[in-house]
Amino acid sequence: DITFQNIPLLIFYARGVGSNLTLGGMGIFGVNTLRLMAENNIQISAPESLSNGANGGTLLGIAGGNITVSSPIDTPTAFVPAGTFSGAGGNVSLTATNGAINVDSRIQVSYDDAGAGTGRRSASGGMIGLSSGLTTCTGISLTSNASLLSLLGRAAPGPGGSITLTTAGSDIIPTARRSRRIAARSQS
């Protein structure tokens, strides 16, 4: 198993027709920006935690085929005392130009930890963007284990984050489950 830690920019490119990129093993932690490119499929099956100082980090992935997320992707902001906020939320952008995106885990780009103690409370929201170039069938699938989270406390200075799911005409299918969360919560 290979682990990458505390690298400002990490790029993986699976080059060549039919090439696949699989992130497995122990995961990637503390990387500011992670760029994933594959001419065929991308599989994220190890935890990814991307941060840039007090701010959330960035994951940019583009695949010619499918993208599958089966382990958590986090862009954590700094821990702060109750009643305070710190850090801009991160950015996760995944594009499958000729394939589908299947999310079977949590993607979280900003935080609003509950409780009176120290926690992650982002000052501004993060962004999640999932895009499929498919025109028919299922372009984006969110399983019963999927959570897309861009959270922000009501008193946070903002601005709020966003979650955007787009296809070129194919279906977006969420699998029903009582506890599944797709949340872009911000101050009102």
Side-chain angles (χ1 to χ4, degrees), residues 110-113 125 150-154 160-161 181 183-187:
S110 53
Y111 297 77
D112 183 24
D113 290 350
S150 179
L151 306 177
L152 195 60
R154 292 185 189 281
R181 294 181 4 165
R185 184 175 71 216
S186 65
Q187 68 273 26

Side-chain angles (χ1 to χ4, degrees), residues 86-177:
S86 178
N91 178 27
V92 174
S93 176
L94 301 174
T95 302
T97 57
N98 294 306
I101 297 176
N102 179 45
V103 179
D104 187 39
S105 192
R106 176 177 41 83
I107 300 174
Q108 186 163 358
V109 293
S110 53
Y111 297 77
D112 183 24
D113 290 350
T118 301
R120 294 188 192 278
R121 294 177 193 86
S122 304
S124 63
M127 295 181 286
I128 299 173
L130 305 179
S131 177
S132 169
L134 291 180
T135 58
T136 62
C137 300
T138 300
I140 298 175
S141 173
L142 305 173
T143 72
S144 60
N145 296 320
S147 294
L148 305 179
L149 303 169
S150 179
L151 306 177
L152 195 60
R154 292 185 189 281
S162 66
I163 298 172
T164 306
L165 309 177
T166 59
T167 69
S170 59
D171 295 330
I172 298 173
I173 307 292
T175 303
R177 182 178 84 145

